[in-house]
Amino acid sequence: MIVVHIDGLCEPVNPGGTATFGYVIRDDSGSILTSKSGVVGKGPAMSNNVAEYAALCEALEFLLKKNRENSSIEVKGDSALVMNQMSRKWKFRKGLYREKYQEALRLMARFTDLRFRWIPREENEEADKLSREAYEKESC
């Protein structure tokens, strides 16, 4: 099973700050296939949820490029909103993240065995660190 850890943040204010993301993807053996971080954007259209969804979309796009759409994949994240919406437990109502949410749904539809699981922040340290490093680089 492939395990994907995602995280996003928006600082120094949420919403309206600088949104950054990070993700780590591990293969069946636990080895890192890839990890990435980056800046989603700055300003009033940014929020932590936009950043979380951006992390998810970036990770899913990577897996599609590597032809892993038929692999068993578990996405883990500390955003209850993202994990529950993608698991179809919660509905989308409104938010700055509408576009990224819709993009994530389109990407998700291309996978045959994709699951989502909420984890506590302490279990998401690698992805959290990547999103924070991206923010620190951008704010220097």
Side-chain angles (χ1 to χ4, degrees):
M1 174 182 304
I2 293 173
V3 177
V4 180
H5 283 259
I6 63 167
D7 197 41
L9 63 80
C10 186
E11 305 231 347
V13 293
N14 179 45
T18 299
T20 60
F21 71 89
Y23 69 82
V24 178
I25 301 176
R26 293 184 181 277
D27 66 14
D28 298 345
S29 70
S31 298
I32 293 177
L33 286 173
T34 192
S35 63
K36 185 178 178 183
S37 63
V39 176
V40 182
K42 297 179 182 183
M46 295 297 115
S47 71
N48 61 336
N49 294 327
V50 171
E52 294 274 356
Y53 270 109
L56 174 59
C57 291
E58 290 268 344
L60 294 179
E61 285 173 359
F62 172 84
L63 290 168
L64 287 169
K65 284 178 188 165
K66 295 298 181 183
N67 300 312
R68 301 308 289 263
E69 56 271 3
N70 294 315
S71 298
S72 179
I73 301 166
E74 183 172 53
V75 178
K76 298 179 180 183
D78 56 31
S79 168
L81 178 102
V82 173
M83 295 300 111
N84 284 307
Q85 283 182 334
M86 295 307 293
S87 297
R88 307 295 182 140
K89 294 175 187 169
W90 295 1
K91 292 183 173 151
F92 174 85
R93 302 234 186 270
K94 62 179 181 172
L96 295 170
Y97 62 96
R98 173 188 293 274
E99 194 174 302
K100 283 293 180 191
Y101 168 72
Q102 291 171 335
E103 180 183 346
L105 290 178
R106 284 191 300 274
L107 290 167
M108 181 177 80
R110 297 176 61 187
F111 290 87
T112 58
D113 185 10
L114 184 60
R115 293 182 300 281
F116 297 88
R117 184 158 61 104
W118 177 86
I119 57 172
R121 179 163 287 156
E122 302 79 52
E123 292 178 28
N124 206 29
E125 289 177 358
E126 284 181 303
D128 178 72
K129 183 179 177 189
L130 288 168
S131 63
R132 293 197 178 281
E133 286 173 357
Y135 174 73
E136 288 166 13
K137 285 180 191 171
E138 187 65 19
S139 61
C140 287

